[in-house]
């Protein structure tokens, strides 16, 4: 009986899993496969352009299809679906996911603010990872040489820049190829100028809709992509039967040999067009975080692979009997009654394909931002349900301008295809190289297996890369130029940030000096909490002494806040806060490190002050409990010990909430304003908050009191009392307004990079106070000059 019940439960469980898997697979068509599924619009047109036009006959067509088939089988199916999709970083994919995995399993990271405590995060190591593996000579060699680690980061950033290049070229070529169906004299016979104009209008509309969020656009069009795939698959089957059933013999790789024997170097150059058949493959791995590996595999094997193979085979069958139709083979191979339905669906599918790569570009820029390799930009979280769906206004409009420039500048699908192919194959080659390192350091396999993977797929992709590079003069220079511009921006920003951090590290205030000042720090301590923002994870920043020197007064409670990125995709909320003490208890100085992953969105948390107070209160309790049990005090070290503290409520803090209210925009201003001894300040803040109803209406105001039912050590009670008094008096945010300049003895390159390039980027990006969501009414900026 128990076995029957267990079997029935398993059956229900499998049915539920099957439904979820099928739903995710269906949704992936609208997000992942839009780009890959629209490739038949332009592959044969690009491949048979140029000198290959002189070789067009049945043997050449058959050989070209064989190349497309085997490329499609080896790269998307074998490399990505079977191997690369297994190398996820806690469910996340893409080049940055591979890089973060490498940084956590070997000391490759160049981020200067990493701590041993980061390794204790639950998402830091994957389940079943062996943490006690003996370091190999190869691993020690890479870790020892900083230049090699820098080269690795630059290599990853190069891949990221090529993805941004994809974000410019994919919408342009997809939309232009779809609209080009109107050039056929049998339909409208529009000229190339009108085609480009209509494509530009569609592109402007596409980018104008981005602020509504990826999920609202892509998921709506998932049925369109499925309909498109099934439609082109059936049309391909019809063309095979109707025009040339012998095309099946071209599945043999023997026809590839015959193709190269006949076409020679010209055939080799045509590989730049063939690789367009696999553009969009990287999206399967890059968008892994929105789905599961199983759902992406199911969608590819069940629908994508058979439908696209049938379409490419059908186009080849049609071309083998209609060789003059090369200039627009896709639309000319469609039976006349089906032209307009297919045209409409093709245009919609092109928009979805563009949408996927635009979303991926936003994600890449966000990840570069987390690594300190991109200027601060506005990141908007567009979905409450789908984590990681973001919109970046500045990048959106830059992409739109670049897309219009490419469309109006080139006006030719073949030339744009040359640029597009180079960008895509470069990204795939970066993934192959990183994957070979993951096999060694993360999967801990033999180095021979890694070399086999690298040599096999590196040779395949290297062949296509060499063909794409040969087309640099015919449009291939565009992604290289874009990559150089974005690489320069990333490198200058990363270099400036690192130099600034090293200046802070070398000029931090001595703890001995602070301890010699005594509990009052040699200054007047005024009511309130002072939050001093710094990039340092240890020590007291120079901004503190600079502030005190110019204004010898500071708050009753001081908290040094560091907001930093960790090389993991997500940091769980209950592991986000690290709290510690600086100096003895009576100094009332604390450190709070807020950790985010490279996929986390730093949302405006109106209750940050409340969470901070509860976290510090919980830390005070934990410290007292550990001191009582072990007889050892945190104060034995000037920096104390950092502890992970999570408090979404008052449990374990020794505090209770006596009065709380949520204002709907029309509540009393007295509940909204903080307590203050100054009537003037209180009235000014009341006016400010009433004018800012939109932001204040969401803010939850709470009033903490010490729980009288709990028994505390007198010192703990005093400290909690001081903390609550300071909270009621108000919170001030102190942040450095820094001016970074190169030293006078610096060389020309460093002077130009710091004084001009980095300075220009800092002036034209979002300020740190805006990025950190600091309320303006409580902000104090301290000017400092950094000579780096």
């Amino acid at each position: 009986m128990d076995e029957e019940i267990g079997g029935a439960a398993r059956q229900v469980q499998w049915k539920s899993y099957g439904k979820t898997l099928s739903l995710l697979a269906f949704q992936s068509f609208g997000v992942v496969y839009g780009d890959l599924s629209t490739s038949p619009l332009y592959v044969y047109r690009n491949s048979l352009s140029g000198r290959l036009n002189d070789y067009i006959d049945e043997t050449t067509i058959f050989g070209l299809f064989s190349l497309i088939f085997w490329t499609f089988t080896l790269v998307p199916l074998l490399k990505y679906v079977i191997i690369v999709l297994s190398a996820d970083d806690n469910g996340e994919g893409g080049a940055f996911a591979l890089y973060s995995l490498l940084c956590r399993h070997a000391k490759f990271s160049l981020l200067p603010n990493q701590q041993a405590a980061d390794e204790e995060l639950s998402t830091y190591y994957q389940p079943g990872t062996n943490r006690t593996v003996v370091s190999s000579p190869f691993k020690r060699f890479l870790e020892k040489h900083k230049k090699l680690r820098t080269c690795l980061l630059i290599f990853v950033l190069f891949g990221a820049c090529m993805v941004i290049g994809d974000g410019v070229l994919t919408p342009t070529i997809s939309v232009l190829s779809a609209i080009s169906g109107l050039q056929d004299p049998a339909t409208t016979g529009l000229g190339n100028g009108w085609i480009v104009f209509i494509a530009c209008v569609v592109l402007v509309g596409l980018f104008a809709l981005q602020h509504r969020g990826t999920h609202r656009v892509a998921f709506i069009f998932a049925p369109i992509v499925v309909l498109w795939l099934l439609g082109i698959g059936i049309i391909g089957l019809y063309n095979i039967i109707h025009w040339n059933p012998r095309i099946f013999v071209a599945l043999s790789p023997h026809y590839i040999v015959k193709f190269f024997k006949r076409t020679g170097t010209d055939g080799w150059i045509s590989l730049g067009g063939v690789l367009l058949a696999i553009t969009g493959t990287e999206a399967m791995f890059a968008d892994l975080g929105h789905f599961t590996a199983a759902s992406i595999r199911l969608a590819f094997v069940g629908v994508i692979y058979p439908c696209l193979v049938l379409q490419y085979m059908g186009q080849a069958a049609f071309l083998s009997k209609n060789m003059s139709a090369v200039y627009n083979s896709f639309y000319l191979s469609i039976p006349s009654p089906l032209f307009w339905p297919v045209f409409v669906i093709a245009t919609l599918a092109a928009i979805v394909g563009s949408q996927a790569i635009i979303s991926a570009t936003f994600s890449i820029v966000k990840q570069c931002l987390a690594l300190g390799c991109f200027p601060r930009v506005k990141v908007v979280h567009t979905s409450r349900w789908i984590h990681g769906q973001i919109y970046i206004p500045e990048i959106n409009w830059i992409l739109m301008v670049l897309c219009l420039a490419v469309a109006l500048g080139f006006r030719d699908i073949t030339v744009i295809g040359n640029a597009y192919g180079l960008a895509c194959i470069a990204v795939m080659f970066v993934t192959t190289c990183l994957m070979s390192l993951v096999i060694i350091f993360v999967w801990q396999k033999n180095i021979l297996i890694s070399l086999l993977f690298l040599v096999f797929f590196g040779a395949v992709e290297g062949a296509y890369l060499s063909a794409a590079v040969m087309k640099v003069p015919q449009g291939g220079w565009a992604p290289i130029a874009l990559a150089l511009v974005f690489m320069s921006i990333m490198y200058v920003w990363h270099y400036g940030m690192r130099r600034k951090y090293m200046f802070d590290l070398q000029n931090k205030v001595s703890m001995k000096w602070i301890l010699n000042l005594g509990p009052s720090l040699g200054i007047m301590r005024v009511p309130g909490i002072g939050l001093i923002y710094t990039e340092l994870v240890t020590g007291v920043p120079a901004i503190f002494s600079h502030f005190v020197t110019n204004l010898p007064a500071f708050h009753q409670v001081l908290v040094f806040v560091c907001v930093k990125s960790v090389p993991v995709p997500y940091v769980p909320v209950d592991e986000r806060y690290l709290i510690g003490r600086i100096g003895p208890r009576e100094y009332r100085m604390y450190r709070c490190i807020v950790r985010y992953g490279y996929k986390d969105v730093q949302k405006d948390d109106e209750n940050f002050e409340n969470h901070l107070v509860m976290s510090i209160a919980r830390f005070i309790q934990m410290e007292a409990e550990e001191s009582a049990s072990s007889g050892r005090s945190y104060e034995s070290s000037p920096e104390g010990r950092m502890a992970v503290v999570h408090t979404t409520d008052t449990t374990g803090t020794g505090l209770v909430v006596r009065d709380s209210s949520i204002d709907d925009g029309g509540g009393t201003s007295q509940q909204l304003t903080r307590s203050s001894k100054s009537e003037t300040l209180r009235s000014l803040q009341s006016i400010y908050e009433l004018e800012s109803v939109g932001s204040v209406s969401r803010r939850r105001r709470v009033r903490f009191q010490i729980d009288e039912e709990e028994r505390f050590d007198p010192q703990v009670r005093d400290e909690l009392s001081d903390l609550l008094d300071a909270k009621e008096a108000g919170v001030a945010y102190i942040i450095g307004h820094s001016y970074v300049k190169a030293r006078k003895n610096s060389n020309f390159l460093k002077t130009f990079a710091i004084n001009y390039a980095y300075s220009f980027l800092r002036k034209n990006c979002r300020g740190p106070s805006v990025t950190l969501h600091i309320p303006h009414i409580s902000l104090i900026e301290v000017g400092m000059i950094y000579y780096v």
Side-chain angles (χ1 to χ4, degrees):
M1 181 65 71
D2 291 340
E3 289 182 3
E4 289 179 5
I5 294 173
R10 281 192 296 273
Q11 192 174 3
V12 171
Q13 194 174 14
W14 274 107
K15 281 184 179 179
S16 175
Y17 174 75
K19 286 181 181 178
T20 305
L21 184 64
S22 302
L23 180 62
L24 284 174
F26 174 74
Q27 291 173 338
S28 70
F29 290 110
V31 176
V32 177
Y33 292 115
D35 185 10
L36 190 64
S37 64
T38 53
S39 294
L41 286 167
Y42 42 78
V43 169
Y44 281 104
R45 178 175 179 170
N46 278 74
S47 301
L48 292 168
S49 63
R51 294 181 183 176
L52 209 62
N53 240 329
D54 302 332
Y55 301 93
I56 295 181
D57 59 14
E58 186 175 273
T59 303
T60 303
I61 299 295
F62 277 32
L64 197 60
F65 166 69
S66 190
L67 266 172
I68 292 170
F69 171 76
W70 284 104
T71 303
F72 202 71
T73 302
L74 290 176
V75 179
L77 182 62
L78 180 59
K79 177 190 165 185
Y80 279 90
V81 171
I82 296 177
I83 301 174
V84 175
L85 282 180
S86 302
D88 66 294
D89 181 11
N90 292 287
E92 293 297 324
F96 272 97
L98 297 178
Y99 180 68
S100 71
L101 278 173
L102 291 170
C103 289
R104 301 206 303 271
H105 289 79
K107 296 176 182 177
F108 294 158
S109 178
L110 292 174
L111 291 174
N113 58 356
Q114 300 305 301
Q115 301 169 277
D118 297 339
E119 298 184 20
E120 298 174 8
L121 288 167
S122 59
T123 53
Y124 201 85
Y125 291 103
Q126 292 180 305
T129 300
N130 184 5
R131 306 188 191 184
T132 59
V133 178
V134 179
S135 178
S136 66
F138 182 49
K139 180 179 177 182
R140 289 195 298 270
F141 175 76
L142 291 176
E143 291 176 342
K144 182 181 177 182
H145 294 82
K146 185 180 177 182
K147 288 183 179 179
L148 291 176
R149 291 185 281 128
T150 304
C151 289
L152 179 63
L153 175 62
I154 291 173
F155 190 61
V156 173
L157 292 179
F158 172 74
C161 290
M162 282 299 184
V163 171
I164 296 173
D166 273 356
V168 174
L169 297 165
T170 299
T172 311
I173 192 171
S174 298
V175 173
L176 265 176
S177 299
I179 303 297
S180 67
L182 298 176
Q183 285 181 305
D184 187 8
T187 54
T188 61
L190 287 179
N192 192 54
W194 279 105
I195 297 298
V196 173
F197 173 75
I198 295 171
C200 287
V201 171
V202 173
L203 287 170
V204 170
L206 173 65
F207 283 100
L209 287 172
Q210 290 303 310
H211 69 281
R212 295 188 174 273
T214 303
H215 65 288
R216 292 178 184 169
V217 179
F219 281 105
I220 291 172
F221 284 105
I224 298 295
V225 177
V226 174
L227 187 61
W228 160 258
L229 286 164
L230 294 177
I232 62 175
I234 293 169
I235 290 171
L237 185 61
Y238 165 81
N239 284 332
I240 294 167
I241 297 169
H242 184 263
W243 293 108
N244 194 350
R246 284 191 63 252
I247 189 66
F248 279 100
V249 301
L251 292 173
S252 167
H254 173 65
Y255 279 85
I256 297 176
V257 178
K258 292 174 72 174
F259 172 81
F260 283 118
K261 277 185 178 179
R262 174 166 169 71
T263 59
T265 306
D266 295 332
W268 186 268
I269 295 173
S270 73
L271 288 177
V274 174
L275 72 87
L276 295 178
I278 56 174
T279 54
T281 300
E282 186 71 23
M284 287 195 290
F285 186 46
D287 291 329
L288 184 60
H290 302 158
F291 304 97
T292 62
S295 63
I296 290 176
R297 285 174 173 138
L298 176 64
F300 184 85
V301 175
V303 179
I304 298 290
Y305 186 78
C307 288
L308 289 183
V309 167
L310 282 174
Q311 168 56 212
Y312 287 124
M313 190 182 291
Q315 265 196 74
F318 170 79
L319 280 172
S320 67
K321 300 299 181 184
N322 302 271
M323 302 192 186
S324 60
V326 168
Y327 71 96
N328 201 1
S329 62
F330 175 79
Y331 280 110
L332 293 175
S333 69
I334 298 169
S336 299
L338 298 177
F339 173 81
W340 285 108
V342 172
F343 172 77
V344 172
I345 296 172
T347 305
L348 292 175
I351 291 172
V352 176
S354 305
Q355 178 68 36
I357 194 64
I358 293 168
S359 176
T361 305
F362 292 156
S363 297
I364 284 290
V365 171
K366 168 67 178 67
Q367 291 168 15
C368 292
L369 191 64
L371 278 175
C373 295
F374 204 88
R376 292 180 293 266
V377 290
K378 183 179 182 180
V379 179
V380 181
H381 198 196
T382 59
S383 174
R384 293 181 182 178
W385 301 279
I386 306 169
H387 201 82
Q389 291 283 0
I390 59 174
Y391 166 68
I392 303 177
E394 296 95 330
I395 301 300
N396 183 63
W397 303 123
I398 289 172
L399 288 180
M400 186 188 79
V401 170
L402 291 173
C403 279
L404 295 176
V406 169
L408 294 170
F410 289 139
R411 305 170 69 92
D412 185 352
I413 293 172
T414 302
V415 178
I416 299 172
N418 295 339
Y420 183 36
L422 179 59
C424 290
I425 198 65
V427 175
M428 292 181 192
F429 189 73
V430 168
T431 300
T432 298
C433 296
L434 291 176
M435 189 65 205
S436 63
L437 293 176
V438 167
I439 291 171
I440 301 173
F441 299 124
V442 181
W443 290 358
Q444 297 167 8
K445 302 294 183 183
N446 193 293
I447 194 170
L448 293 176
I449 298 175
S450 172
L451 284 174
L452 182 64
F453 177 89
L454 179 63
V455 169
F456 181 76
F457 290 107
V460 173
E461 291 166 359
Y464 285 105
L465 186 60
S466 65
V469 167
M470 294 176 76
K471 293 191 176 183
V472 166
Q474 293 85 39
W477 57 268
I480 296 175
L482 285 171
L484 287 176
V485 171
F486 281 102
M487 281 285 288
S488 300
I489 292 171
M490 290 180 181
Y491 180 77
V492 167
W493 185 261
H494 185 68
Y495 177 74
M497 292 289 286
R498 280 184 59 81
R499 300 303 303 176
K500 182 175 175 291
Y501 184 88
M502 296 310 295
F503 179 92
D504 267 335
L505 197 63
Q506 292 162 5
N507 293 275
K508 64 183 181 182
V509 179
S510 165
M511 282 303 302
K512 183 179 180 182
W513 177 74
I514 289 178
L515 293 173
N516 288 338
L517 295 176
S520 69
L521 302 178
I523 56 177
M524 183 178 291
R525 303 294 288 268
V526 298
I529 297 178
L531 302 183
I532 306 167
Y533 279 80
T534 173
E535 293 177 5
L536 295 178
V537 292
T538 59
V540 175
I543 183 179
F544 176 72
S545 62
H546 189 71
F547 186 95
V548 171
T549 303
N550 290 278
L551 184 66
F554 229 114
H555 297 83
Q556 175 185 358
V557 174
L558 297 179
V559 184
F560 294 91
V561 180
C562 172
V563 179
K564 72 169 197 173
S565 292
V566 186
V568 296
Y570 304 106
V571 174
V573 177
D574 56 351
E575 298 177 34
R576 180 152 289 159
Y577 290 89
L578 266 176
I579 304 292
R581 185 189 295 282
I582 298 178
R585 188 192 299 270
E586 58 269 19
Y587 281 46
R588 304 295 190 255
M589 295 170 66
Y590 309 93
R591 184 182 305 283
C592 173
I593 298 175
V594 188
R595 302 178 291 183
Y596 288 94
Y598 60 82
K599 279 281 193 176
D600 280 320
V601 176
Q602 299 179 24
K603 290 179 288 188
D604 185 2
D605 187 2
E606 297 85 4
N607 296 313
F608 173 71
E609 295 172 9
N610 299 329
H611 288 159
L612 183 65
V613 169
M614 288 190 290
S615 297
I616 294 174
R618 178 71 186 112
F619 171 78
I620 293 169
Q621 291 281 76
M622 290 169 59
E623 179 189 44
E625 290 168 5
E626 288 195 19
S627 297
S629 61
S630 64
R632 189 172 52 189
S633 172
Y634 277 65
E635 299 173 20
S636 57
S637 166
E639 275 288 325
R641 184 177 70 82
M642 303 296 290
V644 178
V645 176
H646 169 56
T647 48
T648 52
D649 52 37
T650 56
T651 305
T653 62
L655 306 178
V656 291
V657 179
R658 290 301 185 197
D659 176 31
S660 62
S661 62
I662 302 176
D663 190 74
D664 60 1
T668 62
S669 61
Q670 189 65 34
Q671 288 177 322
L672 288 171
T673 54
R674 298 187 183 92
S675 299
S676 173
K677 294 182 180 179
S678 168
E679 290 293 333
T680 305
L681 289 176
R682 201 159 57 221
S683 63
L684 284 173
Q685 187 169 8
S686 173
I687 293 168
Y688 175 85
E689 290 180 331
L690 286 175
E691 287 176 349
S692 308
V693 169
S695 61
V696 174
S697 61
R698 302 188 308 272
R699 184 165 295 189
R700 182 170 180 255
R701 297 293 180 179
V702 299
R703 187 182 183 87
F704 295 111
Q705 289 186 1
I706 296 176
D707 190 351
E708 298 297 336
E709 296 181 3
E710 288 197 31
R711 294 184 179 180
F712 296 111
D713 179 274
Q715 286 186 325
V716 172
R717 181 176 289 276
D718 289 344
E719 192 169 2
L720 288 175
S721 178
D722 287 347
L723 179 65
L724 297 188
D725 289 345
K727 170 68 169 64
E728 289 303 311
V731 180
Y733 297 77
I734 297 98
I735 192 168
H737 189 85
S738 54
Y739 300 88
V740 183
K741 296 184 180 296
R743 292 194 183 102
K744 291 183 179 180
N745 59 349
S746 301
N747 59 44
F748 172 77
L749 280 177
K750 181 179 177 182
T751 302
F752 177 80
I754 296 295
N755 290 358
Y756 298 99
Y758 181 69
S759 176
F760 175 81
L761 292 174
R762 280 183 64 85
K763 288 177 183 176
N764 290 278
C765 72
R766 290 169 67 84
S769 60
V770 179
T771 307
L772 296 168
H773 309 292
I774 295 174
H776 292 293
I777 194 172
S778 307
L779 176 63
I780 301 171
E781 288 191 293
V782 182
M784 276 194 70
I785 298 179
Y786 289 76
Y787 288 101
V788 299

